[in-house]
């Protein structure tokens, strides 16, 4: 789960070499699938309320690139792109 502290408009990115896909609450919001060099794909704006959001990232590696980064920006990041910190993630929907 990704914990959103301040509700508002967010965007997400996967930066990967070869395929990646990011789901938020069961909906694919970033589809960076396929065999390719490192590239960045950005989601549409996501209007989120505060609280836990179920996040699922799928990734595969075809060659030796081994690149996967997940970034987001919104009120919790002061509008700046940041790699999702471990402090914002939890394995349960309980309080982080």
């Amino acid at each position: 789960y990704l914990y959103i502290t301040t509700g508002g408009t967010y965007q997400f990115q996967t930066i990967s070499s070869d395929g990646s896909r990011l789901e938020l609450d069961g909906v694919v919001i970033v589809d960076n699938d396929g065999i390719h060099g490192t590239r960045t794909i950005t989601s549409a704006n996501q209007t989120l309320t505060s609280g836990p959001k179920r996040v699922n990232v799928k990734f595969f590696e075809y060659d030796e690139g081994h690149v996967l980064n997940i970034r987001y920006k919104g009120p919790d990041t002061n509008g700046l792109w940041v790699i999702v910190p471990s402090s914002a993630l939890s394995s349960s929907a309980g309080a982080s």
Side-chain angles (χ1 to χ4, degrees):
Y1 289 86
L2 169 66
Y3 280 83
I4 299 297
T5 303
T6 306
T9 301
Y10 288 80
Q11 283 184 290
F12 294 81
Q13 293 179 327
T14 68
I15 303 162
S16 64
S17 83
D18 298 325
S20 62
R21 181 175 288 154
L22 186 142
E23 296 177 6
L24 193 65
D25 287 333
V27 176
V28 175
I29 62 167
V30 177
D31 187 355
N32 195 357
D33 200 13
I35 297 171
H36 52 76
T38 301
R39 74 177 182 192
T40 302
I41 300 293
T42 303
S43 74
N45 287 341
Q46 306 293 313
T47 302
L48 304 178
T49 58
S50 62
K53 309 300 174 211
R54 188 169 41 102
V55 63
N56 186 352
V57 177
K58 297 177 181 177
F59 171 69
F60 81 89
E61 184 59 49
Y62 179 74
D63 61 17
E64 297 183 17
H66 306 299
V67 174
L68 175 65
N69 290 298
I70 309 298
R71 301 193 315 173
Y72 73 145
K73 74 173 181 175
D76 284 359
T77 70
N78 293 318
L80 302 173
W81 285 109
V82 299
I83 292 176
V84 175
S86 60
S87 60
L89 298 171
S90 176
S91 61
S92 71
S96 64

